[in-house]
Amino acid sequence: SYVLTQPPSVSVAPGQTARITCGGNNIGSKSVHWYQQKPGQAPVLVVYDDSDRPSGIPERFSGSSSGNTATLTISRVEAGDEADYYCQVWDISSIHPGVFGGGTKLTVL
Amino acid sequence: EVQLVESGGGLVQPGGSLRLSCAASGFTFSNYEMNWVRQAPGKGLDWVSYISSGGDTIYYADSVRGRFTISRDNAKNSLFLQMSSLRAEDTAVYYCARGFNSWGFQHFDLWGQGTLVAVSS
Protein backbone atom coordinates (compact mmCIF):
# COMPACT_ATOMS: atom_id res chain seq x y z
CA SER A 1 0.00 0.00 0.00
CA TYR A 2 1.01 3.60 -0.55
CA VAL A 3 3.07 5.21 2.21
CA LEU A 4 3.38 8.90 3.10
CA THR A 5 6.31 10.04 5.24
CA GLN A 6 6.32 13.24 7.30
CA PRO A 7 8.88 14.58 9.77
CA PRO A 8 7.61 14.18 13.34
CA SER A 9 8.26 17.78 14.25
CA VAL A 10 9.07 21.19 12.81
CA SER A 11 9.90 24.28 14.85
CA VAL A 12 9.79 27.89 13.71
CA ALA A 13 9.87 31.34 15.26
CA PRO A 14 6.87 33.65 14.92
CA GLY A 15 6.91 35.61 11.68
CA GLN A 16 9.13 33.09 9.94
CA THR A 17 8.19 30.51 7.30
CA ALA A 18 7.44 26.89 8.15
CA ARG A 19 7.77 24.14 5.60
CA ILE A 20 6.33 20.70 6.27
CA THR A 21 7.18 17.93 3.84
CA CYS A 22 5.32 14.81 2.83
CA GLY A 23 7.22 12.14 0.96
CA GLY A 24 5.73 9.43 -1.24
CA ASN A 25 6.63 7.47 -4.35
CA ASN A 26 5.88 9.73 -7.32
CA ILE A 27 3.59 11.83 -5.13
CA GLY A 28 3.72 14.54 -7.77
CA SER A 29 1.34 12.43 -9.87
CA LYS A 30 -1.33 12.44 -7.16
CA SER A 31 -3.37 15.16 -5.51
CA VAL A 32 -2.12 15.97 -2.02
CA HIS A 33 -4.31 17.40 0.71
CA TRP A 34 -3.32 18.90 4.07
CA TYR A 35 -5.15 19.06 7.38
CA GLN A 36 -4.53 21.05 10.54
CA GLN A 37 -5.52 19.55 13.88
CA LYS A 38 -5.33 21.40 17.17
CA PRO A 39 -5.53 19.55 20.51
CA GLY A 40 -8.98 18.22 21.28
CA GLN A 41 -10.39 19.32 17.93
CA ALA A 42 -11.34 17.65 14.68
CA PRO A 43 -9.03 18.07 11.69
CA VAL A 44 -9.58 21.02 9.36
CA LEU A 45 -8.72 21.02 5.65
CA VAL A 46 -6.19 23.77 4.90
CA VAL A 47 -4.95 22.85 1.41
CA TYR A 48 -6.44 20.52 -1.21
CA ASP A 49 -5.39 19.38 -4.67
CA ASP A 50 -1.75 20.24 -3.92
CA SER A 51 -2.16 23.99 -3.71
CA ASP A 52 -5.79 25.14 -3.44
CA ARG A 53 -7.17 26.71 -0.28
CA PRO A 54 -10.70 26.25 1.06
CA SER A 55 -12.60 29.41 1.76
CA GLY A 56 -11.67 30.90 5.11
CA ILE A 57 -8.11 29.58 5.11
CA PRO A 58 -5.54 32.40 5.18
CA GLU A 59 -3.34 32.99 2.15
CA ARG A 60 -0.38 32.31 4.44
CA PHE A 61 -1.08 28.60 3.86
CA SER A 62 0.15 27.28 0.54
CA GLY A 63 1.12 23.96 -0.96
CA SER A 64 3.21 22.46 -3.72
CA SER A 65 4.05 19.01 -4.99
CA SER A 66 6.62 17.58 -7.38
CA GLY A 67 8.50 14.36 -7.82
CA ASN A 68 8.51 12.45 -4.55
CA THR A 69 7.81 15.35 -2.19
CA ALA A 70 4.83 17.57 -1.37
CA THR A 71 5.26 20.63 0.82
CA LEU A 72 2.92 22.66 3.00
CA THR A 73 4.27 26.17 3.49
CA ILE A 74 3.03 28.47 6.22
CA SER A 75 4.26 32.04 5.84
CA ARG A 76 4.45 34.61 8.63
CA VAL A 77 3.78 31.93 11.22
CA GLU A 78 1.62 32.89 14.18
CA ALA A 79 1.27 31.31 17.59
CA GLY A 80 -2.19 30.08 16.57
CA ASP A 81 -0.67 27.95 13.80
CA GLU A 82 0.81 25.59 16.38
CA ALA A 83 -0.85 22.26 15.64
CA ASP A 84 -0.44 18.84 14.09
CA TYR A 85 -0.47 18.76 10.30
CA TYR A 86 -1.31 15.72 8.18
CA CYS A 87 -0.92 15.11 4.48
CA GLN A 88 -3.34 12.80 2.68
CA VAL A 89 -3.76 11.25 -0.74
CA TRP A 90 -6.42 9.10 -2.35
CA ASP A 91 -4.73 6.13 -4.01
CA ILE A 92 -7.32 5.31 -6.66
CA SER A 93 -5.44 2.19 -7.76
CA SER A 94 -5.82 0.59 -4.34
CA ILE A 95 -8.67 -1.27 -2.63
CA HIS A 96 -7.90 0.75 0.47
CA PRO A 97 -7.40 4.17 -1.09
CA GLY A 98 -7.37 6.50 1.89
CA VAL A 99 -3.83 7.28 3.04
CA PHE A 100 -2.59 9.73 5.69
CA GLY A 101 0.94 10.68 6.57
CA GLY A 102 2.05 10.16 10.14
CA GLY A 103 1.64 13.81 11.02
CA THR A 104 3.98 16.67 11.88
CA LYS A 105 3.85 18.66 15.10
CA LEU A 106 4.47 22.33 14.33
CA THR A 107 5.90 24.19 17.29
CA VAL A 108 5.99 27.97 17.30
CA LEU A 109 8.96 29.00 19.40
CA GLU B 1 -25.57 24.99 9.53
CA VAL B 2 -23.49 22.49 7.60
CA GLN B 3 -22.38 19.82 10.06
CA LEU B 4 -21.75 16.20 10.87
CA VAL B 5 -22.54 14.81 14.32
CA GLU B 6 -21.32 11.39 15.40
CA SER B 7 -22.82 9.27 18.14
CA GLY B 8 -22.76 5.72 19.46
CA GLY B 9 -19.30 5.53 20.97
CA GLY B 10 -18.58 4.06 24.37
CA LEU B 11 -16.80 1.38 26.34
CA VAL B 12 -17.02 -2.17 24.98
CA GLN B 13 -15.30 -5.41 25.88
CA PRO B 14 -12.89 -7.13 23.48
CA GLY B 15 -14.85 -9.21 21.01
CA GLY B 16 -17.90 -7.02 21.39
CA SER B 17 -19.83 -4.92 18.92
CA LEU B 18 -20.80 -1.29 18.55
CA ARG B 19 -22.68 0.75 15.95
CA LEU B 20 -21.63 4.31 15.24
CA SER B 21 -23.91 6.86 13.58
CA CYS B 22 -23.21 10.14 11.86
CA ALA B 23 -26.04 12.60 11.29
CA ALA B 24 -25.58 15.07 8.45
CA SER B 25 -27.33 18.41 8.13
CA GLY B 26 -27.13 21.60 6.11
CA PHE B 27 -26.22 19.96 2.81
CA THR B 28 -27.58 17.39 0.36
CA PHE B 29 -26.19 14.25 1.98
CA SER B 30 -27.11 11.96 -0.91
CA ASN B 31 -24.77 13.88 -3.24
CA TYR B 32 -21.64 13.16 -1.23
CA GLU B 33 -19.26 10.30 -0.67
CA MET B 34 -18.54 9.63 2.99
CA ASN B 35 -15.74 8.17 5.08
CA TRP B 36 -14.83 7.08 8.58
CA VAL B 37 -11.43 8.12 9.93
CA ARG B 38 -10.11 7.21 13.37
CA GLN B 39 -7.42 8.44 15.71
CA ALA B 40 -6.00 6.32 18.50
CA PRO B 41 -5.02 8.20 21.67
CA GLY B 42 -1.89 10.23 20.99
CA LYS B 43 -1.58 8.88 17.47
CA GLY B 44 -2.18 10.09 13.92
CA LEU B 45 -5.15 9.93 11.61
CA ASP B 46 -6.07 6.52 10.21
CA TRP B 47 -8.53 6.14 7.34
CA VAL B 48 -11.05 3.35 8.05
CA SER B 49 -13.71 3.11 5.37
CA TYR B 50 -15.40 4.78 2.38
CA ILE B 51 -18.87 4.60 0.86
CA SER B 52 -20.01 6.16 -2.39
CA SER B 53 -22.94 8.55 -2.55
CA GLY B 54 -25.34 5.81 -3.61
CA GLY B 55 -23.82 3.17 -1.36
CA ASP B 56 -22.79 0.88 -4.22
CA THR B 57 -19.02 1.25 -3.79
CA ILE B 58 -17.34 0.51 -0.47
CA TYR B 59 -13.72 0.27 0.64
CA TYR B 60 -12.10 -0.72 3.93
CA ALA B 61 -8.68 -0.48 5.51
CA ASP B 62 -7.02 -3.88 5.83
CA SER B 63 -7.11 -3.58 9.62
CA VAL B 64 -10.92 -3.57 9.75
CA ARG B 65 -12.00 -5.51 6.65
CA GLY B 66 -14.27 -8.39 7.63
CA ARG B 67 -15.05 -6.87 11.03
CA PHE B 68 -16.50 -3.44 10.21
CA THR B 69 -19.41 -2.61 7.88
CA ILE B 70 -20.10 0.86 6.53
CA SER B 71 -23.58 1.81 5.37
CA ARG B 72 -25.76 4.85 4.81
CA ASP B 73 -29.40 5.88 4.74
CA ASN B 74 -29.78 8.80 2.37
CA ALA B 75 -33.44 9.25 3.29
CA LYS B 76 -32.38 9.87 6.88
CA ASN B 77 -29.15 11.76 6.08
CA SER B 78 -27.19 9.26 8.11
CA LEU B 79 -23.94 7.31 7.89
CA PHE B 80 -23.21 4.21 9.97
CA LEU B 81 -20.29 2.03 11.00
CA GLN B 82 -21.12 -1.38 12.41
CA MET B 83 -18.11 -2.65 14.32
CA SER B 84 -17.76 -6.24 15.51
CA SER B 85 -15.02 -8.46 16.93
CA LEU B 86 -13.57 -5.34 18.48
CA ARG B 87 -9.95 -5.35 19.65
CA ALA B 88 -7.99 -3.14 22.01
CA GLU B 89 -6.24 -1.60 19.01
CA ASP B 90 -9.61 -0.32 17.73
CA THR B 91 -9.69 2.13 20.64
CA ALA B 92 -9.84 5.57 19.05
CA VAL B 93 -11.88 8.66 18.34
CA TYR B 94 -13.93 7.90 15.24
CA TYR B 95 -14.68 10.78 12.88
CA CYS B 96 -17.09 10.80 9.98
CA ALA B 97 -15.75 12.90 7.12
CA ARG B 98 -17.42 14.14 3.97
CA GLY B 99 -15.54 13.31 0.80
CA PHE B 100 -15.09 15.66 -2.12
CA ASN B 101 -13.93 13.99 -5.27
CA SER B 102 -11.96 15.95 -7.86
CA TRP B 103 -10.64 14.02 -10.84
CA GLY B 104 -10.82 10.80 -8.85
CA PHE B 105 -8.78 12.16 -5.96
CA GLN B 106 -10.75 12.57 -2.79
CA HIS B 107 -10.21 14.90 0.12
CA PHE B 108 -12.23 15.36 3.28
CA ASP B 109 -13.78 18.81 3.42
CA LEU B 110 -16.08 18.45 6.42
CA TRP B 111 -15.50 16.56 9.66
CA GLY B 112 -17.63 15.72 12.65
CA GLN B 113 -16.44 16.28 16.22
CA GLY B 114 -15.75 12.58 16.73
CA THR B 115 -16.99 9.85 19.06
CA LEU B 116 -14.73 7.86 21.37
CA VAL B 117 -14.67 4.08 21.22
CA ALA B 118 -12.81 2.34 24.04
CA VAL B 119 -12.23 -1.41 23.87
CA SER B 120 -11.24 -2.80 27.23
CA SER B 121 -12.14 -5.51 29.70
Side-chain angles (χ1 to χ4, degrees), chain A residues 33 35 37 42 49 88 92 96, chain B residues 39 60 62 102 104 106 108 112:
Chain A
H33 320 295
Y35 303 87
Q37 186 181 34
D49 291 350
Q88 176 252 321
I92 57 177
H96 36 77
Chain B
Q39 186 171 36
Y60 296 102
D62 287 346
S102 56
Q106 183 168 172
F108 311 127

Side-chain angles (χ1 to χ4, degrees), chain A residues 70-89:
Chain A
T71 303
L72 173 69
T73 301
I74 309 172
S75 303
R76 302 180 299 282
V77 167
E78 303 173 356
D81 298 331
E82 186 163 289
D84 294 324
Y85 291 86
Y86 296 89
C87 58
Q88 176 252 321
V89 300

Side-chain angles (χ1 to χ4, degrees), chain B residues 16 32 50 79 94 96 103 108:
Chain B
Y32 287 87
Y50 157 93
L79 175 72
Y94 284 73
C96 63
W103 302 101
F108 311 127

Side-chain angles (χ1 to χ4, degrees), chain B residues 53-86:
Chain B
S53 57
D56 54 329
T57 300
I58 286 173
Y59 300 119
Y60 296 102
D62 287 346
S63 57
V64 306
R65 186 176 295 113
R67 300 187 299 122
F68 290 11
T69 302
I70 191 172
S71 62
R72 65 190 296 161
D73 185 338
N74 285 342
K76 296 184 177 180
N77 296 326
S78 295
L79 175 72
F80 306 101
L81 187 67
Q82 178 68 47
M83 305 184 295
S84 60
S85 302
L86 282 162

Side-chain angles (χ1 to χ4, degrees), chain A residues 29-31 33 35 37 41-45 48-49 86 88-90 92 94-102, chain B residues 35 37 39 43-47 50 59-62 65 95 101-109 111-113:
Chain A
S29 67
K30 304 182 184 298
S31 281
H33 320 295
Y35 303 87
Q37 186 181 34
Q41 299 183 17
V44 173
L45 180 70
Y48 66 97
D49 291 350
Y86 296 89
Q88 176 252 321
V89 300
W90 192 257
I92 57 177
S94 174
I95 60 172
H96 36 77
V99 183
F100 284 99
Chain B
N35 296 263
V37 177
Q39 186 171 36
K43 302 297 184 182
L45 300 175
D46 182 29
W47 174 82
Y50 157 93
Y59 300 119
Y60 296 102
D62 287 346
R65 186 176 295 113
Y95 296 99
N101 204 324
S102 56
W103 302 101
F105 299 108
Q106 183 168 172
H107 61 267
F108 311 127
D109 66 346
W111 296 67
Q113 85 289 349

